[in-house]
Amino acid sequence: MNANLIRSVIYITALCALYLSMAMFLPALVDLYYGHRDWQVFALSGFLVGGIAGAAALATRGPPPAFNKRFGFLLVNVLWLMFSLVGAIPLFLAEYKTSFAQALFESISGITTTGSTIMVGLDKQPPGILLWRSLLCWLGGIGIVGLGLFVLPFLKVGGASIFKLESTETNDKPFARLASFTRAFLAVYILLTIACTVAYDVAGMSHFDALNHALSTVATAGFSTHDASFAFWKDNQAILVICTIFLTISSLPFSVLILLAMRGRLDTLRDPQIMVFLGYLGGIAVALGVYHHLRNSVELDDALIHSFFNIASILSTGGFSSDDYTLWGPFAVMLVFFASAMGGCSGSTSGGIKSYRFVVMFNTARAGINKLIYPNAIYPVRYGTLIVDADTQRGVFLFLGLFLFLWVLGSLGMTLLGYDVVTSFSGVLTCLANVGPGIGPIIGPVGNFSTISDPALYLLSVLMLLGRLEILTVLVLLTPIFWRH
């Protein structure tokens, strides 16, 4: 491994840690304002991380190497590991007592926008730690979109060049220069957050709740300031509708949102993955709502609002809940279970398998079946008007195979640690797909991960990172050939 490459990775990581340390002073100021002594924890953590990061940046400063695949893979993994560890420091040192495994799990859950939590009694927690959790989600969302739009396409990870699949190649990029594209993305992300905050506030949330939930909603993360999550406002239909709308918008490709917001490009909405995502979101939500109405004698409008909210939350991997949908009936449990793996669109903050992969898999299967009937005919696999190359098709199925393999392997690990089959399978799935809540009485929509043992939390933390980094980005580091010169 080239020494200059490692030096550059450390330098960039140190700069990012420096920015993250600066964010710690926001919850410090909030706690100081409300007179809670956790402000000292956040201030100390900020100075400690900032000092170490600043020293590391000065010590490793130098010309960067050419951006190649080896550099990209290593940088992505080190950055996300740093974010996870640094984010855990104030959580571990705060007045709320946690083990290091719990603090790390909470930090990774925020940074990966998963939304699973080990914290209980959120309604009575000091504002600083609640804001820090929400900031981790929001900053993680920025990193995730940046990863999906700028890095993974170059690394060809996840089975596809996302730029190609989102029609953002050189001739169709929203902006000619990367810097302009980045500024546009940040502008859209921040404006969405502001709009969501104002909407929540007008609909009846407190100012603090509105800000925290907006940060978490736009990042499709799922951290709340209340143990009950959105069930705290279950009778306020306006809040549920607002959250559903913003979760759905944030599940769309941000490249499309940028083109739509900045240039009025309505044609970008014809992206096949958007149609597929909105199609299965609407179909599942309507089916679940009608089922809930008929089986449990709930008013149809109320059933549909809660159904759309919870399905949008699951498919966007938002992780919020407005009701214990596991009590709606067995059909509801099964629908939610399968929906947990599906996810939103590529280039968004959502996780899961993602809709563009379903498009590629369906068209690959259709072309294969047609080939059986007419062996000599040529049936290209298409994504909209684009032809999907063989490497992309192979990568999509490789990702799906590894996703299923890790799901089974992780579930076996959880049962080995003593957990029941439902908790094991749903816990591993919700972490690998970055969804948030699982199924069952322990980690279901009205439960959390507070009673999960430290070894199991370490396992689930690794799975959250694997799922967020598209699996292959992490596994490539385990191959001997990666470390050869």
Side-chain angles (χ1 to χ4, degrees), residues 216-275:
S216 194
T217 299
V218 173
T220 61
F223 277 164
S224 177
T225 55
H226 300 281
D227 285 333
S229 188
F230 271 74
F232 188 82
W233 299 281
K234 66 182 301 181
D235 296 324
N236 189 326
Q237 293 187 346
I239 287 178
L240 299 183
V241 170
I242 289 167
C243 186
T244 303
I245 292 171
F246 277 95
L247 285 175
T248 303
I249 292 173
S250 299
S251 301
L252 304 180
F254 265 81
S255 58
V256 169
L257 295 180
I258 292 168
L259 284 169
L260 187 62
M262 301 296 182
R263 297 190 176 180
R265 288 276 302 277
L266 293 174
D267 60 299
T268 57
L269 294 175
R270 293 199 295 266
D271 188 331
Q273 65 173 328
I274 295 177
M275 296 298 101

Side-chain angles (χ1 to χ4, degrees), residues 56 127 295 330 393 453:
R295 187 180 190 276
Q393 298 172 47
S453 66

Side-chain angles (χ1 to χ4, degrees), residues 458-476:
Y458 282 124
L459 171 61
L460 296 174
S461 295
V462 171
L463 291 171
M464 281 191 284
L465 285 172
L466 279 165
R468 178 46 69 196
L469 298 181
E470 301 281 331
I471 299 176
L472 294 170
T473 313
V474 180
L475 295 184
V476 72

Side-chain angles (χ1 to χ4, degrees), residues 299-324:
E299 292 294 331
L300 183 59
D301 62 335
D302 193 51
L304 286 173
I305 285 174
H306 281 274
S307 175
F308 267 94
F309 174 89
N310 287 287
I311 293 301
S313 181
I314 291 165
L315 291 177
S316 69
T317 65
F320 296 123
S321 61
S322 66
D323 197 6
D324 187 359

Side-chain angles (χ1 to χ4, degrees), residues 206-218:
S206 69
H207 299 326
F208 186 74
D209 280 347
L211 174 61
N212 277 271
H213 286 89
L215 293 172
S216 194
T217 299
V218 173

Side-chain angles (χ1 to χ4, degrees), residues 38 51 58 60 68 72 164 221 245 305 312 323 351 383 395 414 419 428:
D38 264 357
L58 290 173
T60 55
N68 53 42
K164 288 183 180 179
I245 292 171
I305 285 174
D323 197 6
Y383 180 90
M414 288 290 288
Y419 294 95
V428 170

Side-chain angles (χ1 to χ4, degrees), residues 191-201 210 213-214 217-218 242-243 246:
L191 286 173
L192 272 177
T193 306
I194 294 172
C196 189
T197 303
V198 172
Y200 280 148
D201 190 81
H213 286 89
T217 299
V218 173
I242 289 167
C243 186
F246 277 95

